[in-house]
PDB file of all heavy atoms in Angstrom:
ATOM      1  N   LEU A 221     -21.849   4.411   4.816  1.00 92.00           N
ATOM      2  CA  LEU A 221     -20.622   3.746   5.278  1.00 92.00           C
ATOM      3  C   LEU A 221     -21.076   2.472   5.966  1.00 92.00           C
ATOM      4  O   LEU A 221     -21.662   2.532   7.053  1.00 92.00           O
ATOM      5  CB  LEU A 221     -19.845   4.630   6.247  1.00 92.00           C
ATOM      6  CG  LEU A 221     -18.533   4.018   6.731  1.00 92.00           C
ATOM      7  CD1 LEU A 221     -17.466   4.040   5.644  1.00 92.00           C
ATOM      8  CD2 LEU A 221     -18.008   4.759   7.960  1.00 92.00           C
ATOM      9  N   GLY A 222     -20.835   1.337   5.330  1.00 88.00           N
ATOM     10  CA  GLY A 222     -21.356   0.082   5.877  1.00 88.00           C
ATOM     11  C   GLY A 222     -22.877   0.175   5.932  1.00 88.00           C
ATOM     12  O   GLY A 222     -23.522   0.547   4.966  1.00 88.00           O
ATOM     13  N   GLU A 223     -23.424  -0.102   7.118  1.00 88.00           N
ATOM     14  CA  GLU A 223     -24.890  -0.062   7.294  1.00 88.00           C
ATOM     15  C   GLU A 223     -25.387   1.359   7.575  1.00 88.00           C
ATOM     16  O   GLU A 223     -26.580   1.615   7.513  1.00 88.00           O
ATOM     17  CB  GLU A 223     -25.277  -0.924   8.506  1.00 88.00           C
ATOM     18  CG  GLU A 223     -24.930  -2.396   8.371  1.00 88.00           C
ATOM     19  CD  GLU A 223     -25.786  -3.070   7.334  1.00 88.00           C
ATOM     20  OE1 GLU A 223     -27.011  -3.168   7.544  1.00 88.00           O
ATOM     21  OE2 GLU A 223     -25.233  -3.472   6.283  1.00 88.00           O
ATOM     22  N   ALA A 224     -24.454   2.245   7.919  1.00 91.00           N
ATOM     23  CA  ALA A 224     -24.865   3.597   8.336  1.00 91.00           C
ATOM     24  C   ALA A 224     -25.007   4.514   7.127  1.00 91.00           C
ATOM     25  O   ALA A 224     -24.283   4.382   6.147  1.00 91.00           O
ATOM     26  CB  ALA A 224     -23.828   4.180   9.293  1.00 91.00           C
ATOM     27  N   HIS A 225     -25.947   5.439   7.215  1.00 92.00           N
ATOM     28  CA  HIS A 225     -26.027   6.454   6.175  1.00 92.00           C
ATOM     29  C   HIS A 225     -26.567   7.740   6.766  1.00 92.00           C
ATOM     30  O   HIS A 225     -27.180   7.745   7.822  1.00 92.00           O
ATOM     31  CB  HIS A 225     -26.881   5.976   4.988  1.00 92.00           C
ATOM     32  CG  HIS A 225     -28.228   5.525   5.398  1.00 92.00           C
ATOM     33  ND1 HIS A 225     -28.519   4.210   5.656  1.00 92.00           N
ATOM     34  CD2 HIS A 225     -29.350   6.220   5.608  1.00 92.00           C
ATOM     35  CE1 HIS A 225     -29.785   4.109   6.008  1.00 92.00           C
ATOM     36  NE2 HIS A 225     -30.308   5.306   5.995  1.00 92.00           N
ATOM     37  N   GLY A 226     -26.294   8.845   6.087  1.00 95.00           N
ATOM     38  CA  GLY A 226     -26.735  10.143   6.582  1.00 95.00           C
ATOM     39  C   GLY A 226     -26.009  11.246   5.848  1.00 95.00           C
ATOM     40  O   GLY A 226     -25.268  10.999   4.894  1.00 95.00           O
ATOM     41  N   ILE A 227     -26.254  12.472   6.302  1.00 96.00           N
ATOM     42  CA  ILE A 227     -25.591  13.629   5.700  1.00 96.00           C
ATOM     43  C   ILE A 227     -24.214  13.768   6.348  1.00 96.00           C
ATOM     44  O   ILE A 227     -24.094  13.742   7.577  1.00 96.00           O
ATOM     45  CB  ILE A 227     -26.395  14.927   5.973  1.00 96.00           C
ATOM     46  CG1 ILE A 227     -27.840  14.816   5.485  1.00 96.00           C
ATOM     47  CG2 ILE A 227     -25.688  16.142   5.391  1.00 96.00           C
ATOM     48  CD1 ILE A 227     -28.025  14.925   4.008  1.00 96.00           C
ATOM     49  N   LEU A 228     -23.191  13.929   5.522  1.00 97.00           N
ATOM     50  CA  LEU A 228     -21.832  14.038   6.065  1.00 97.00           C
ATOM     51  C   LEU A 228     -21.616  15.444   6.643  1.00 97.00           C
ATOM     52  O   LEU A 228     -21.651  16.435   5.913  1.00 97.00           O
ATOM     53  CB  LEU A 228     -20.818  13.748   4.953  1.00 97.00           C
ATOM     54  CG  LEU A 228     -19.380  13.443   5.373  1.00 97.00           C
ATOM     55  CD1 LEU A 228     -18.660  12.703   4.255  1.00 97.00           C
ATOM     56  CD2 LEU A 228     -18.617  14.683   5.745  1.00 97.00           C
ATOM     57  N   LEU A 229     -21.453  15.498   7.972  1.00 97.00           N
ATOM     58  CA  LEU A 229     -21.291  16.795   8.633  1.00 97.00           C
ATOM     59  C   LEU A 229     -19.827  17.207   8.723  1.00 97.00           C
ATOM     60  O   LEU A 229     -19.494  18.367   8.579  1.00 97.00           O
ATOM     61  CB  LEU A 229     -21.885  16.743  10.045  1.00 97.00           C
ATOM     62  CG  LEU A 229     -23.389  16.496  10.163  1.00 97.00           C
ATOM     63  CD1 LEU A 229     -23.822  16.511  11.618  1.00 97.00           C
ATOM     64  CD2 LEU A 229     -24.183  17.530   9.369  1.00 97.00           C
ATOM     65  N   GLY A 230     -18.938  16.264   9.034  1.00 97.00           N
ATOM     66  CA  GLY A 230     -17.523  16.628   9.197  1.00 97.00           C
ATOM     67  C   GLY A 230     -16.792  15.593  10.021  1.00 97.00           C
ATOM     68  O   GLY A 230     -17.138  14.409   9.991  1.00 97.00           O
ATOM     69  N   LEU A 231     -15.780  16.069  10.766  1.00 96.00           N
ATOM     70  CA  LEU A 231     -14.915  15.175  11.550  1.00 96.00           C
ATOM     71  C   LEU A 231     -15.046  15.478  13.037  1.00 96.00           C
ATOM     72  O   LEU A 231     -15.246  16.633  13.417  1.00 96.00           O
ATOM     73  CB  LEU A 231     -13.450  15.396  11.159  1.00 96.00           C
ATOM     74  CG  LEU A 231     -13.055  15.093   9.722  1.00 96.00           C
ATOM     75  CD1 LEU A 231     -11.617  15.543   9.494  1.00 96.00           C
ATOM     76  CD2 LEU A 231     -13.201  13.604   9.430  1.00 96.00           C
ATOM     77  N   SER A 232     -14.852  14.446  13.863  1.00 94.00           N
ATOM     78  CA  SER A 232     -14.727  14.691  15.307  1.00 94.00           C
ATOM     79  C   SER A 232     -13.243  14.964  15.602  1.00 94.00           C
ATOM     80  O   SER A 232     -12.399  14.842  14.712  1.00 94.00           O
ATOM     81  CB  SER A 232     -15.240  13.493  16.090  1.00 94.00           C
ATOM     82  OG  SER A 232     -14.385  12.405  15.841  1.00 94.00           O
ATOM     83  N   ARG A 233     -12.907  15.246  16.840  1.00 90.00           N
ATOM     84  CA  ARG A 233     -11.529  15.650  17.174  1.00 90.00           C
ATOM     85  C   ARG A 233     -10.496  14.567  16.906  1.00 90.00           C
ATOM     86  O   ARG A 233      -9.320  14.854  16.714  1.00 90.00           O
ATOM     87  CB  ARG A 233     -11.443  16.078  18.641  1.00 90.00           C
ATOM     88  CG  ARG A 233     -12.139  17.398  18.906  1.00 90.00           C
ATOM     89  CD  ARG A 233     -11.697  17.965  20.231  1.00 90.00           C
ATOM     90  NE  ARG A 233     -10.301  18.388  20.195  1.00 90.00           N
ATOM     91  CZ  ARG A 233      -9.902  19.589  19.804  1.00 90.00           C
ATOM     92  NH1 ARG A 233     -10.772  20.472  19.403  1.00 90.00           N
ATOM     93  NH2 ARG A 233      -8.620  19.888  19.795  1.00 90.00           N
ATOM     94  N   ASP A 234     -10.946  13.287  16.922  1.00 90.00           N
ATOM     95  CA  ASP A 234      -9.978  12.206  16.667  1.00 90.00           C
ATOM     96  C   ASP A 234      -9.984  11.770  15.200  1.00 90.00           C
ATOM     97  O   ASP A 234      -9.375  10.773  14.852  1.00 90.00           O
ATOM     98  CB  ASP A 234     -10.256  11.005  17.591  1.00 90.00           C
ATOM     99  CG  ASP A 234     -11.570  10.319  17.256  1.00 90.00           C
ATOM    100  OD1 ASP A 234     -12.345  10.859  16.433  1.00 90.00           O
ATOM    101  OD2 ASP A 234     -11.827   9.240  17.806  1.00 90.00           O
ATOM    102  N   GLY A 235     -10.684  12.521  14.353  1.00 93.00           N
ATOM    103  CA  GLY A 235     -10.679  12.205  12.926  1.00 93.00           C
ATOM    104  C   GLY A 235     -11.761  11.220  12.523  1.00 93.00           C
ATOM    105  O   GLY A 235     -11.773  10.749  11.386  1.00 93.00           O
ATOM    106  N   SER A 236     -12.674  10.895  13.459  1.00 94.00           N
ATOM    107  CA  SER A 236     -13.811  10.037  13.084  1.00 94.00           C
ATOM    108  C   SER A 236     -14.789  10.853  12.234  1.00 94.00           C
ATOM    109  O   SER A 236     -14.789  12.084  12.283  1.00 94.00           O
ATOM    110  CB  SER A 236     -14.537   9.523  14.334  1.00 94.00           C
ATOM    111  OG  SER A 236     -13.659   8.726  15.085  1.00 94.00           O
TER     112      SER A 236
END
Side-chain angles (χ1 to χ4, degrees):
L221 182 74
E223 298 291 294
H225 54 265
I227 304 284
L228 196 159
L229 297 182
L231 298 173
S232 66
R233 289 196 69 87
D234 68 351
S236 297

